[in-house]
Amino acid sequence: MITKPTKIKKLLILIAVCIIIKSTSQSLEEDDIINNSFELNNNNNNNNNNNYIEKSNIVWRVPVGCDYSGFFVEVLNFFIGLDNILGNAVGDNNLHLDIGTCSNEFLKTLETREATIIQKYQANYNNRYAMKNNPDWTNTILIHHKLPNNPFSTFQPSNRPKIIIARVMIESNILPRNEIQYLKNDIDYIWVPTSWHENIYVNHGINKNKLFVVNEPMSFKQFETKTNSATYRFLSVFKYEHRKGGDILLNSYWNAFTLKDDVELIIRSYRPSWLPGTKNLENIFKSIAKQNFGKLLSELPKVTWVKEELNRKEMFNLYKSASAFVLPTRGEGWCLPCVEAMSMGLPIVVTNFSGPTEYLNEKYSYPIPIHNNINHDGTAEPDSNACTNLMQHLYKNPAEGKEKGALASKFVAKHLSPNIIAKKILKKLHEYVSYDDEDKSEL
């Protein structure tokens, strides 16, 4: 049992926590701050920070099922790092994953160790919680990923987890009012992926001391690559909806080049089932070509649509077959494909707004500026002409692009590896359980 501190000690605790949160919420462009906030001091500190896991159950709830969505890949990379640090030590049985059932067919598409990690921590959850009629949550730290348009988990007051953490992200600068109230009143702490998100939530009235920036980890795994080609290939990976800026992408690309240029735009995309209209993206491409350029697709620089669902190995090989990655998006929570492209050594051309601002830097990327006026839905409009100019610049300066891509790859390995993010998570959880409920209410 934790002894309640004096008023002076409470004040010192609050000051210390504020300093820690401030030091870890800076943009990833500030390398010196990153190193200080992400790295734990020594192995002794690591062992001390992990001891509390033996006394608490940690449930990571991601109600998405098993697929290659950004939510799933994010939690997979979180657990790769956590498993690396916890290993087979006492306490790893107290870490649980609630993500639904993964089919054997899906597990076969993962790397062997990835599948083993998913199964291991799913089994922990099933044995302690899912297979019991009335599981005890009172000694549980619950980390709950909030999905769009889905509610948080609810509990009876007598069986509430001792700490509830919301993992949330948005693509615009507008938050739903009902979600704000719930985060204020019913959630103990809030984890966001970037400093941009932290500012948005603070601007909506969330206490900054409840917020903590936890970047998405990137599993730095490279597979065999395809043969390089003389053709300069721009790659874009996204689901085809208005927010992702597919219309801006095509306009920018076709304005940048002619049939005389040895270029290709590869689009790995799909039309979500919940959106009306055709799911055949070639028809959409044809419509944009005719409406905006008065031409057939065959009369414009080559666009290739990759419609097949690709596993992780196939996706990474697709990245490595490209020369650059481009996405003039209107808003992102994080943009997993952007960071995957960086890790594969590609220069990225991405809108300098929302989530990507955490890692965009002219040293190792090509930020697309936005127009001054924010859209009514809180997203931003990227400058299509600037995107055109950046694509032309990369085509004319491929050596510079390769150099920036190499720096981007090193950046991801240094600052976004699963181990680095896992250490940050474990350190923060250790701080949370160091205070009793009365102390926590003051944060």
Side-chain angles (χ1 to χ4, degrees), residues 96 120-132 135:
H96 311 75
K120 173 182 178 180
Y121 293 106
Q122 278 186 316
N124 285 355
Y125 178 78
N126 290 337
N127 293 334
R128 189 180 296 272
Y129 294 93
M131 298 177 66
K132 294 185 177 180

Side-chain angles (χ1 to χ4, degrees), residues 109-235:
T109 68
L110 299 174
E111 291 291 290
T112 301
R113 181 159 181 268
E114 293 173 342
T116 300
I117 287 173
I118 292 295
Q119 290 175 303
K120 173 182 178 180
Y121 293 106
Q122 278 186 316
N124 285 355
Y125 178 78
N126 290 337
N127 293 334
R128 189 180 296 272
Y129 294 93
M131 298 177 66
K132 294 185 177 180
N133 292 329
N134 295 299
D136 181 8
W137 287 89
T138 57
N139 193 42
T140 301
I141 300 171
L142 175 65
I143 305 169
H144 190 172
H145 281 232
K146 173 67 169 62
L147 305 185
N149 303 317
N150 285 332
F152 286 101
S153 301
T154 58
F155 298 88
Q156 294 295 329
S158 60
N159 198 27
R160 182 191 189 276
K162 65 179 179 181
I163 297 176
I164 299 179
I165 301 167
R167 172 60 166 178
V168 295
M169 65 179 70
I170 51 172
E171 299 89 11
S172 74
N173 62 10
I174 298 176
L175 295 177
R177 183 175 300 176
N178 60 337
E179 184 170 315
I180 296 171
Q181 290 304 120
Y182 189 85
L183 291 172
K184 285 182 177 180
N185 301 328
D186 299 304
I187 298 296
D188 299 312
Y189 301 102
I190 304 165
W191 288 1
V192 293
T194 73
S195 301
W196 180 85
H197 288 88
E198 182 182 52
N199 291 332
I200 295 299
Y201 280 88
V202 169
N203 291 340
H204 281 75
I206 301 295
N207 187 336
K208 187 174 182 178
N209 292 333
K210 293 182 70 168
L211 291 157
F212 186 57
V213 175
V214 183
N215 301 132
E216 284 197 20
M218 177 63 214
S219 181
F220 195 64
K221 171 74 174 178
Q222 294 198 33
F223 301 100
E224 62 180 282
T225 61
K226 297 183 180 180
T227 304
N228 291 331
S229 169
T231 300
Y232 200 95
R233 292 193 170 98
F234 294 94
L235 172 65

Side-chain angles (χ1 to χ4, degrees), residues 310-380:
L310 305 179
N311 62 35
R312 280 165 69 80
K313 182 175 181 178
E314 292 167 335
M315 275 301 307
F316 282 115
N317 281 336
L318 180 62
Y319 286 120
K320 295 300 286 188
S321 72
S323 309
F325 181 90
V326 57
L327 186 66
T329 176
R330 294 178 171 91
E332 296 289 327
W334 175 255
C335 189
L336 174 65
C338 296
V339 181
E340 287 179 336
M342 291 173 69
S343 75
M344 294 294 103
L346 295 183
I348 65 170
V349 181
V350 178
T351 309
N352 193 24
F353 176 75
S354 59
T357 58
E358 189 80 353
Y359 48 80
L360 285 180
N361 185 308
E362 290 186 353
K363 295 178 183 177
Y364 39 79
S365 62
Y366 295 88
I368 304 170
I370 62 174
H371 294 292
N372 291 331
N373 295 329
I374 298 297
N375 296 326
H376 67 88
D377 61 355
T379 61

